[in-house]
């Protein structure tokens, strides 16, 4: 089945969808994005993603391409047209194109570009990686200073994943001034003596939609949470570790820089949080 994608008001077969070579998303990474997961044919935490998108656009003085209601309708239509039961929807908004290359932002009447496409991932909720846990390495965080804005500047995170792959690991945790910021495409946590530790929100990390939901659910389940800076050494020495994101949900981490975390198998708290998150998110999906 050919994938149907959305570009600026049109639903098209993927091979027919085009964006200008002058688009600022292409030339300047002048664009923001969201990834929303689909489980049971429904959207997980659409509202959270829509609110964060609004914030990213505002922080960059970028026009919203359409209303939240229209965005929901596009998401739903793409899920339906592509028969997605489990997978993701990628959304990108760019500052558009005024037909040339210029560092200065184009005039106000330049329309933003809106692109959405689906990724079909059968078995996403039962990913084998969640049974085994993943291995991470640590790398220096050399990204820009506004990581709270979800821009498409993903070259360094991509390089981080490649460094991990080369080292025989699955992902990388980034470290700045001696403290873990986040994973290349997820938020990072460790658990010690029953307490969940994660970095507090600031401009240094993405304000994960999954992070927010998981911390709320952990609190509701009477789990202890501490939001503070932490080092790789502390995480290595922890009882368990895990990451969260819209595409991985709660994913246990069993090895950091070659050192086994806890017993080297997914931890009790990470497994429980994954269960609770999947269960509650699917119930609330729209
Ligand atoms: N990544 N931190 C970074 C740097 C991320 O790129 C992501 C998401 C997260 C987790 O955010 P959320 O829970 O809202 O997905 C944290 C997406 C999934 C991606 O780039 O594919």
């Amino acid at each position: 089945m050919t994938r149907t994608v959305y570009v600026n008001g049109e639903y098209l077969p993927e091979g027919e969808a085009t964006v200008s070579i002058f688009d600022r998303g292409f030339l300047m990474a002048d664009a923001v994005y969201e990834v929303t997961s689909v489980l049971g044919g429904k959207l997980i935490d659409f509202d959270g993603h829509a609110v964060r998108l609004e914030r990213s656009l505002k922080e960059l003085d970028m026009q919203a391409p359409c209303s939240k209601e229209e965005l929901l309708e596009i998401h739903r239509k793409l899920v339906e047209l592509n028969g997605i039961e489990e997978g993701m929807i990628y959304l990108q908004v760019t500052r558009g194109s005024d037909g040339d290359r210029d560092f200065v932002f184009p005039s106000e009447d330049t329309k933003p570009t809106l692109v959405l496409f689906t990724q079909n991932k059968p078995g996403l909720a039962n990913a084998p990686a969640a049974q085994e846990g993943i291995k991470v390495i640590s790398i220096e965080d050399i990204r820009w200073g506004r990581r709270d804005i979800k821009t498409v500047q993903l070259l360094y995170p991509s390089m981080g994943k490649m460094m991990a792959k080369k080292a025989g690991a699955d992902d990388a945790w980034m470290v700045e001034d001696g403290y873990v910021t986040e994973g290349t495409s997820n938020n990072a946590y460790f658990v010690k003596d029953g307490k969940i530790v994660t970095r507090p929100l600031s401009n240094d990390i993405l304000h994960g939609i999954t992070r927010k939901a998981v911390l709320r659910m952990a609190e509701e389940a009477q789990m202890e949470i501490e939001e503070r800076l932490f080092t790789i050494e502390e995480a290595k020495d922890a009882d368990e570790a895990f990451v969260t994101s819209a595409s991985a949900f709660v994913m246990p981490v069993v090895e950091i820089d070659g050192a086994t975390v806890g017993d080297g198998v997914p931890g009790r708290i990470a497994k429980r949080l994954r269960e609770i998150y999947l269960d509650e998110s699917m119930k609330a999906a729209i």
Side-chain angles (χ1 to χ4, degrees):
M1 185 167 103
T2 310
R3 179 160 48 172
T4 301
V5 303
Y6 176 95
V7 187
N8 295 329
E10 288 189 285
Y11 295 88
L12 297 166
E14 61 181 51
E16 289 172 30
T18 58
V19 172
S20 164
I21 62 158
F22 299 114
D23 193 281
R24 289 181 62 90
F26 178 60
L27 295 179
M28 309 264 176
D30 189 356
V32 297
Y33 77 107
E34 282 297 331
V35 175
T36 303
S37 55
V38 178
L39 292 175
K42 288 184 174 172
L43 304 166
I44 302 297
D45 215 337
F46 172 80
D47 214 58
H49 290 283
V51 168
R52 185 173 61 191
L53 174 67
E54 222 169 82
R55 179 179 181 274
S56 295
L57 292 168
K58 196 162 155 260
E59 291 296 313
L60 296 175
D61 261 332
M62 214 184 271
Q63 275 182 63
C66 60
S67 70
K68 202 161 126 185
E69 292 69 34
E70 284 167 312
L71 275 186
L72 175 59
E73 198 185 308
I74 301 166
H75 277 74
R76 283 182 160 156
K77 188 151 179 194
L78 282 182
V79 168
E80 188 195 320
L81 289 172
N82 293 290
I84 308 293
E85 270 301 305
E86 285 190 38
M88 272 104 74
I89 302 188
Y90 176 86
L91 168 156
Q92 182 169 329
V93 183
T94 86
R95 204 181 300 275
S97 149
D98 62 358
D100 205 352
R101 179 177 182 269
D102 194 340
F103 281 82
V104 173
F105 290 177
S107 68
E108 295 270 297
D109 49 4
T110 301
K111 279 210 161 67
T113 299
L114 175 62
V115 169
L116 287 93
F117 58 81
T118 53
Q119 291 184 294
N120 193 24
K121 305 266 180 198
L124 185 65
N126 285 319
Q131 311 299 320
E132 291 152 28
I134 61 165
K135 298 174 182 176
V136 303
I137 58 163
S138 62
I139 60 172
E140 198 189 338
D141 196 340
I142 59 167
R143 296 172 301 160
W144 80 324
R146 290 302 306 274
R147 302 158 192 158
D148 57 312
I149 307 172
K150 199 162 171 62
T151 74
V152 301
Q153 301 174 66
L154 296 178
L155 182 54
Y156 188 64
S158 286
M159 289 167 73
K161 295 251 194 222
M162 293 311 293
M163 287 184 242
K165 203 171 160 186
K166 244 189 192 161
D170 305 292
D171 206 347
W173 281 11
M174 295 177 281
V175 177
E176 186 174 56
D177 300 330
Y179 297 105
V180 174
T181 51
E182 58 189 333
T184 58
S185 62
N186 43 58
N187 292 115
Y189 312 73
F190 75 84
V191 182
K192 184 78 178 176
D193 300 328
K195 190 189 283 177
I196 301 163
V197 178
T198 195
R199 190 181 176 105
L201 296 181
S202 69
N203 290 353
D204 300 332
I205 61 168
L206 187 74
H207 300 189
I209 301 305
T210 321
R211 177 190 186 279
K212 188 175 177 186
V214 165
L215 290 184
R216 177 176 52 77
M217 292 168 194
E219 208 175 307
E220 283 165 8
Q222 319 291 333
M223 293 177 185
E224 215 184 324
I225 301 159
E226 192 179 2
E227 292 182 63
R228 64 164 173 85
L229 300 184
F230 65 93
T231 64
I232 281 288
E233 289 311 311
E234 280 181 279
K236 273 185 184 173
D237 192 38
D239 301 324
E240 4 176 337
F242 62 92
V243 294
T244 63
S245 77
S247 48
F249 313 120
V250 178
M251 182 61 71
V253 170
V254 294
E255 195 180 293
I256 301 174
D257 283 338
T260 301
V261 179
D263 300 331
V265 291
R268 187 178 56 82
I269 289 182
K271 281 202 302 205
R272 181 78 192 113
L273 281 175
R274 184 180 175 89
E275 271 170 28
I276 300 175
Y277 176 78
L278 285 173
D279 190 43
E280 291 205 16
S281 306
M282 281 170 85
K283 275 192 215 145
I286 59 169

